[in-house]
Amino acid sequence: GASTFYAVGSPEANASDTTNPTVSTYSPADGATGVSSTANLVITFDEAVDVESGNITIKKLSDDSTFETIPVGDGRVTGTGTTTITINPANGMASEIAYYVNIAATGFDDAASNSYAGITDNGTWNFTIADIVNPTVSTYSPTDGATGVSSTANLVITFDEAVDVESGNITIKKLSDDSTFETIPVGDARVTGTGTTTITINPVNGMASEIAYYVNIATTGFDDSSSNSYAGITDNGTWNFTIADTTNPTVSTYSPTDGATGVSSTANLM
């Protein structure tokens, strides 16, 4: 008999399509790490889909708490009628946190009203946000404001995470007049500890007795392994300290004076 043909998209043609749409790719890929905290979530289907109803839910993998719920009909979900659905979360995701995505089974249909199965578990589409937090200082040694500091003390910075030496200078200045006592490039051998949380600075010159100093550090000096930079120090109040009294007492005068004659036999010696 004669063959029958239907126009693509007509009810008769769609009636023969009984296959549910499936996902070809996710972006970020499932299991991806180092993902941008502001990344869009993109689903590529094996056929064009239309937005229907229900929610897309982003959750923390650690405790299943909900980070954000986005209705599929929201303006932040685009691409209806195509194979690519783009989801734009309103909130930036947190540094080094793992998330997963759930999608309602009612969310997307193809032209024949076959429904995408959705995602109801935490293993189909999950990813981890990149480290986007700058390293910060946990402690200084000598502590800020310390007094009685050894004139030959090393300067030690303990960070909240491992850092690498990059470029720029560490500058030690006198608090009284902002004059530079010593400038040490961060790449100098006197700066040790790259790749760890503890950076030790060994000034070559002994600092002067009872003098207050402060330390400046270039903003380019230290990065973590994700190239987030330590903010550095540019003021005189973040890390300053005063050297101990290291000067031996000396005699100003003797009484009787040295070499004196005719001194009373009962004179006190001063």
Side-chain angles (χ1 to χ4, degrees), residues 200-221:
T200 301
I201 305 150
N202 181 13
V204 73
N205 303 312
M207 289 176 271
S209 177
E210 297 183 280
I211 297 296
Y213 296 89
Y214 65 94
V215 182
N216 283 173
I217 301 174
T219 58
T220 55

Side-chain angles (χ1 to χ4, degrees), residues 5-265:
F5 298 96
Y6 301 109
V8 174
S10 68
E12 295 85 358
N14 288 340
S16 64
D17 176 6
T18 59
T19 302
N20 294 327
T22 59
V23 171
S24 300
T25 61
Y26 298 106
S27 176
D30 179 45
T33 58
V35 174
S36 168
S37 63
T38 58
N40 285 338
L41 310 181
V42 182
I43 314 167
T44 303
F45 289 93
D46 64 342
E47 61 178 316
V49 294
D50 297 313
V51 164
E52 299 298 335
S53 64
N55 295 323
I56 297 160
T57 309
I58 305 169
K59 296 189 173 189
K60 286 187 179 180
L61 190 60
S62 60
D63 61 5
D64 299 316
S65 62
T66 297
F67 169 73
E68 190 168 348
T69 300
I70 306 171
V72 295
D74 191 277
R76 291 174 290 144
V77 180
T78 58
T80 188
T82 75
T83 59
T84 303
I85 297 295
T86 301
I87 305 150
N88 181 12
N91 304 310
M93 289 176 269
S95 178
E96 297 184 280
I97 297 298
Y99 296 89
Y100 66 93
V101 183
N102 282 174
I103 301 175
T106 55
F108 301 100
D109 287 359
D110 66 13
S113 297
N114 300 304
S115 296
Y116 165 55
I119 307 174
T120 57
D121 61 81
N122 65 9
T124 298
W125 191 11
N126 64 69
F127 48 85
T128 303
I129 302 304
D131 175 6
I132 57 173
V133 176
N134 294 328
T136 59
V137 171
S138 301
T139 61
Y140 299 107
S141 177
T143 57
D144 178 47
T147 57
V149 174
S150 168
S151 63
T152 58
N154 284 339
L155 310 181
V156 182
I157 313 168
T158 303
F159 289 93
D160 65 340
E161 60 178 315
V163 295
D164 297 314
V165 163
E166 299 298 332
S167 64
N169 294 323
I170 297 160
T171 309
I172 306 168
K173 295 188 174 188
K174 285 187 179 181
L175 191 59
S176 60
D177 62 6
D178 298 314
S179 62
T180 296
F181 169 74
E182 189 170 348
T183 299
I184 307 171
V186 295
D188 191 278
R190 291 174 289 146
V191 180
T192 58
T194 188
T196 75
T197 58
T198 303
I199 297 295
T200 301
I201 305 150
N202 181 13
V204 73
N205 303 312
M207 289 176 271
S209 177
E210 297 183 280
I211 297 296
Y213 296 89
Y214 65 94
V215 182
N216 283 173
I217 301 174
T219 58
T220 55
F222 301 99
D223 287 359
D224 67 15
S225 59
S226 298
S227 297
N228 301 305
S229 296
Y230 165 54
I233 306 174
T234 57
D235 62 80
N236 65 8
T238 298
W239 190 13
N240 65 68
F241 48 85
T242 303
I243 302 304
D245 177 2
T246 59
T247 303
N248 294 326
T250 59
V251 172
S252 300
T253 61
Y254 297 105
S255 178
T257 59
D258 180 43
T261 59
V263 176
S264 169
S265 62

